[in-house]
Amino acid sequence: MRILSIQSSVAYGHVGNSAAVFPLQRIGIEVMPVATVQFSNHTGYGSWRGPMMSGEDVREIVMGIEERGGLAEVDAVLSGYQGGDSIGDAILDAVERVKHHSPEAIYACDPVLGNAKSGCHVAPEVQNLIRDRVVPRADLITPNQFELGFITGTSPDTLESTLASVDAARALGPSTVLVTSLERPDRAEGTIEMLAATGEGAWIVSTPLLPFKVNGSGDVTAALFTAHFRRSGDAADALARTTASVFALLERTYAAGARELRLVEAQEAYAHPDLRFEARQVR
């Protein structure tokens, strides 16, 4: 199995490709990482060093892979944060090139826009890019609860309204939606949920809510769910496996009191997830 992953890259810590690539490799996926930035660290630290790539840089790298025959037998294109039209165009061009050589490939997009606490933290250009041009081209999207509402112009809150928002998202183009960081008012106290939906149904899984926030966990979630779902075609199984792996990663990171994901230390949780969280069908 082969994935073309077009995301940011950092030398210190784990976000973007620096979070997604190793877990994918640990479960046996051949990954071709293409960097959209090459920073010293993620921007949450307030300062960083290193260059941003242009859309033309990304396009050139993908074309070079194509010239080596590397876009044949690709199973998925994965993208995360998109800094503007230039990068967005390059990613959509890469999706088109991959699907020309690998018609069964899917495009999995993590539509990074913001969150419920801080709101939308990307420029209007990026908001329009994601909502109007990228999401309609995607086969799989992995928004958080806030991003799902922003994309669809809805207010997902209860299970029923979240399912309605998922239907609205699927009507835009993606056949599969994974909603991360779902916090319903009627959920069990001290828990957080994820919900996966396809044309065949919808499933929800609940885990304890750990009292901290760490960058990069969404990138790991999107990567593992994409790989598991592409491999099996079973959304419930992909949801259960992804949840088990990511919770174990977060649990280890929280226990260490670390600011950065304990990505390497948690590697057995990717290869051999403890399937202790049931994916319950809700539709």
Side-chain angles (χ1 to χ4, degrees):
M1 188 170 175
R2 179 182 292 178
I3 290 179
L4 175 67
S5 183
I6 308 176
Q7 301 195 57
S8 58
S9 179
V10 296
Y12 176 82
H14 302 291
V15 298
N17 270 338
S18 301
V21 171
F22 177 67
L24 289 173
Q25 291 172 330
R26 191 62 182 83
I27 63 172
I29 308 299
E30 181 71 32
V31 187
M32 298 182 292
V34 177
T36 55
V37 306
Q38 183 58 67
F39 286 165
S40 55
N41 51 271
H42 68 69
T43 58
Y45 284 96
S47 64
W48 62 93
R49 296 180 184 271
M52 297 181 64
M53 307 302 174
S54 69
E56 188 58 30
D57 291 330
V58 171
R59 189 176 280 106
E60 283 289 312
I61 293 169
V62 173
M63 288 175 63
I65 296 171
E66 183 179 35
E67 290 166 356
R68 304 285 79 77
L71 300 188
E73 300 180 0
V74 170
D75 295 278
V77 179
L78 176 64
S79 73
Y81 172 74
Q82 299 186 25
D85 281 344
S86 173
I87 293 294
D89 286 338
I91 291 172
L92 292 177
D93 180 68
V95 170
E96 186 174 341
R97 289 176 183 274
V98 166
K99 291 195 173 189
H100 172 75
H101 296 280
S102 304
E104 299 302 312
I106 65 168
Y107 172 33
C109 170
D110 184 4
V112 180
L113 294 165
N115 56 65
K117 291 182 179 178
S118 62
C120 201
H121 53 59
V122 300
E125 171 193 350
V126 178
Q127 298 172 27
N128 296 335
L129 167 70
I130 295 295
R131 182 186 56 228
D132 301 333
R133 297 175 54 218
V134 174
V135 167
R137 294 277 298 277
D139 301 290
L140 161 63
I141 58 172
T142 62
N144 61 33
Q145 193 171 5
F146 169 82
E147 291 160 344
L148 175 65
F150 186 93
I151 289 166
T152 58
T154 61
S155 300
D157 184 8
T158 64
L159 177 58
E160 291 73 21
S161 63
T162 300
L163 288 170
S165 296
V166 165
D167 288 341
R170 293 184 66 247
L172 297 174
S175 58
T176 303
V177 177
L178 173 69
V179 186
T180 64
S181 305
L182 179 59
E183 298 185 51
R184 297 182 292 135
D186 55 345
R187 72 189 188 282
E189 185 177 356
T191 65
I192 192 166
E193 298 169 319
M194 288 203 295
L195 182 145
T198 70
E200 298 178 351
W203 297 263
I204 199 166
V205 66
S206 175
T207 70
L209 174 61
L210 298 173
F212 82 130
K213 181 182 183 301
V214 64
N215 295 82
S217 58
D219 301 316
V220 177
T221 300
L224 288 176
F225 184 84
T226 297
H228 288 310
F229 182 65
R230 186 66 183 87
R231 179 178 274 166
S232 70
D234 185 330
D237 178 72
L239 179 61
R241 290 181 180 278
T242 300
T243 301
S245 297
V246 173
F247 183 79
L249 169 61
L250 292 175
E251 197 173 37
R252 182 178 287 264
T253 303
Y254 179 66
R259 179 167 182 173
E260 295 288 347
L261 290 170
R262 287 294 189 249
L263 196 77
V264 176
E265 292 93 327
Q267 63 181 286
E268 285 304 308
Y270 320 138
H272 307 290
D274 177 7
L275 300 178
R276 51 179 163 151
F277 303 112
E278 179 188 4
R280 177 172 59 89
Q281 187 162 12
V282 291
R283 187 170 66 188

